[in-house]
């Protein structure tokens, strides 16, 4: 099965990283965004990342130019019609993803493989929105995509062995270390990570320790690069909330249920670093824990 021409839908945080690593690995890439302005924002993000790679001597200037020669941008979905593999990295909403795949199903050739970068939604539901459920997989990258080594390659009960193996090999060709996972909400990493983050919030709610001390304990006690509450601020507290709701809906187990404090922080619009406030105030040089 040939995978040479790649389509990426969405050029936000994840889509721009996926386009960059695919072009770096010599694949021919077409990126689709909704508007010219969003294309420019995505292009600037890739440019910044590539320039940094040149500055730190991870990439030569000539290689950077080669990467640009392999990426094209379009606002038209039809620009993806000839792709061997289309990876979506659009908003985390089932309706939007199903609509996208159903439209692509009519536009792309019958051989095209569809992959979703979803963090928590069901790949099987997306596969069911197409006439090619055997050719739909999950391809879950981690942020920042050019840096993180892992990709979870997810199969549904309908994915063919040939398609799964080809996408697994494609992930290796990107220089990643893939792991195989079944289509269960959270796959491998989030299935373990989300209850951990929620438990840290529950611990805070019960008054066991302060925000700073919970983070310090997990950083120094386990050698983690950051504590769970700082990690929530990095991931986005709204995102943690949405993923936990989806996982609770899937498993109906208390460990995935969002704690009331998480809901209250989301209601206040304190989404973490991206809004300047979450468990910490990020406006100064150092994060300062906020009263809760
Ligand atoms: P983002 O908001 O940064 O980017 C999404 C982009 O998709 C936006 O630029 C938006 O304009 C574009 N878009 C929306 N609908 C589109 C369409 N129909 N066609 C083309 N473009 C469209 O979001 P993100 O953080 O890059 O997340 C994207 C996906 O990746 C989500 O499913 C998310 O769950 C998943 N994911 C995110 C992370 C993370 O750490 N942010 C990690 C792994 C997976």
């Amino acid at each position: 099965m040939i995978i040479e021409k790649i389509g990426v839908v969405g050029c936000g945080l994840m889509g721009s990283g996926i386009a960059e690593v695919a072009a770096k690995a010599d694949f021919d890439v077409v990126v689709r965004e909704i508007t010219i302005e969003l294309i420019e924002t995505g292009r600037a993000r890739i440019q910044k990342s590539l320039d940094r790679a040149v500055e730190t001597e991870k990439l030569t200037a000539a290689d950077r130019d080669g990467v640009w020669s392999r990426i094209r941008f379009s606002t038209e979905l039809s620009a993806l019609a000839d792709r061997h593999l289309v990876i979506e990295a659009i908003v985390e909403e089932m309706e939007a993803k199903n609509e996208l795949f159903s439209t692509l199903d009519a536009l792309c050739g019958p051989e095209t493989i569809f992959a979703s970068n979803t963090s928590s939604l069901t790949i099987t539901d997306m596969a069911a929105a197409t006439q090619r459920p055997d050719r739909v997989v999950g391809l879950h990258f981690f942020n920042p995509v050019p840096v993180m080594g892992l990709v979870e390659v997810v199969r549904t009960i309908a994915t063919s062995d040939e398609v799964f193996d080809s996408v697994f090999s494609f992930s290796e060709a990107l220089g990643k270390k893939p792991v195989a996972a079944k289509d269960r909400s959270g796959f491998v990493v989030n299935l373990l990570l989300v209850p951990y983050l929620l438990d840290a919030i529950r611990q805070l709610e019960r008054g066991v320790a302060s925000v700073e001390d919970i983070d310090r304990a997990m950083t120094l006690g386990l050698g983690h690069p950051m504590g769970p509450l700082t990690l929530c601020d990095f991931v986005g507290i709204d995102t943690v909330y949405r993923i936990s709701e989806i996982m609770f809906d899937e498993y109906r187990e208390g460990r995935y249920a969002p704690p009331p404090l998480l809901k209250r922080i989301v209601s206040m619009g304190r989404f973490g670093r991206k809004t300047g406030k979450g468990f910490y105030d990020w406006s100064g040089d150092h994060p300062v824990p906020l009263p809760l």
Side-chain angles (χ1 to χ4, degrees):
M1 196 172 284
I2 297 170
I3 298 185
E4 288 169 354
K5 298 177 183 177
I6 311 301
V8 178
V9 190
C11 198
L13 201 61
M14 298 304 288
S16 56
I18 296 167
E20 179 185 330
V21 295
K24 268 190 193 151
D26 287 339
F27 291 94
D28 175 89
V29 182
V30 174
V31 181
R32 193 265 175 150
E33 251 298 348
I34 303 170
T35 64
I36 299 284
E37 291 73 24
L38 287 164
I39 286 180
E40 286 316 316
T41 309
R43 193 201 298 270
R45 197 179 287 115
I46 298 173
Q47 178 89 52
K48 195 171 163 198
S49 171
L50 289 175
D51 287 349
R52 200 172 324 120
V54 172
E55 276 161 29
T56 54
E57 296 180 2
K58 290 188 181 117
L59 201 69
T60 66
D63 285 342
R64 174 186 54 198
D65 297 344
V67 169
W68 278 127
S69 71
R70 289 187 289 277
I71 307 182
R72 279 175 294 135
F73 295 87
S74 178
T75 53
E76 301 298 324
L77 266 184
S78 55
L80 304 174
D82 70 340
R83 303 287 96 186
H84 298 128
L85 169 67
V86 177
I87 307 165
E88 74 77 19
I90 67 168
V91 281
E92 185 76 340
E93 281 167 21
M94 199 70 222
E95 215 172 295
K97 296 201 195 267
N98 280 351
E99 191 188 321
L100 172 70
F101 280 129
S102 148
T103 310
L104 284 172
D105 199 32
L107 281 173
C108 296
E111 296 294 304
T112 304
I113 299 169
F114 295 156
S116 171
N117 185 48
T118 181
S119 302
S120 55
L121 298 170
T122 315
I123 309 295
T124 310
D125 288 347
M126 296 176 216
T130 74
Q131 301 299 312
R132 62 184 85 198
D134 56 317
R135 307 184 83 74
V136 180
V137 293
L139 203 48
H140 186 222
F141 291 84
F142 289 78
N143 181 32
V145 183
V147 175
M148 300 299 277
L150 181 67
V151 180
E152 293 173 324
V153 186
V154 183
R155 65 185 311 155
T156 75
I157 51 172
T159 309
S160 81
D161 289 345
E162 201 191 1
V163 165
F164 181 83
D165 292 345
S166 302
V167 175
F168 199 90
S169 301
F170 164 75
S171 312
E172 290 173 321
L174 295 181
K176 302 296 180 196
K177 298 264 184 296
V179 297
K182 283 188 186 168
D183 182 30
R184 297 289 182 276
S185 183
F187 313 131
V188 178
V189 172
N190 282 337
L191 194 67
L192 293 171
L193 176 66
V194 172
Y196 161 67
L197 297 179
L198 300 178
D199 277 345
I201 299 169
R202 285 185 193 105
Q203 200 177 47
L204 182 66
E205 263 183 335
R206 286 179 197 137
V208 175
S210 67
V211 169
E212 251 179 332
D213 282 352
I214 290 171
D215 277 349
R216 184 173 298 137
M218 296 312 284
T219 311
L220 298 179
L222 291 179
H224 287 187
M226 65 181 79
L229 302 173
T230 300
L231 184 54
C232 284
D233 274 3
F234 271 86
V235 171
I237 298 193
D238 53 330
T239 305
V240 174
Y241 177 62
R242 196 163 341 128
I243 293 177
S244 74
E245 286 274 54
I246 293 168
M247 291 178 75
F248 182 66
D249 190 48
E250 169 106 331
Y251 300 110
R252 309 293 165 109
E253 288 176 32
R255 58 205 300 254
Y256 302 106
L261 178 61
L262 175 61
K263 290 189 193 174
R264 301 297 177 272
I265 299 172
V266 170
S267 302
M268 288 308 295
R270 280 166 49 174
F271 296 162
R273 252 169 62 108
K274 61 188 171 188
T275 55
K277 281 183 183 161
F279 288 103
Y280 294 86
D281 182 342
W282 292 90
S283 57
D285 290 341
H286 302 287
V288 178
L290 285 165
L292 288 163

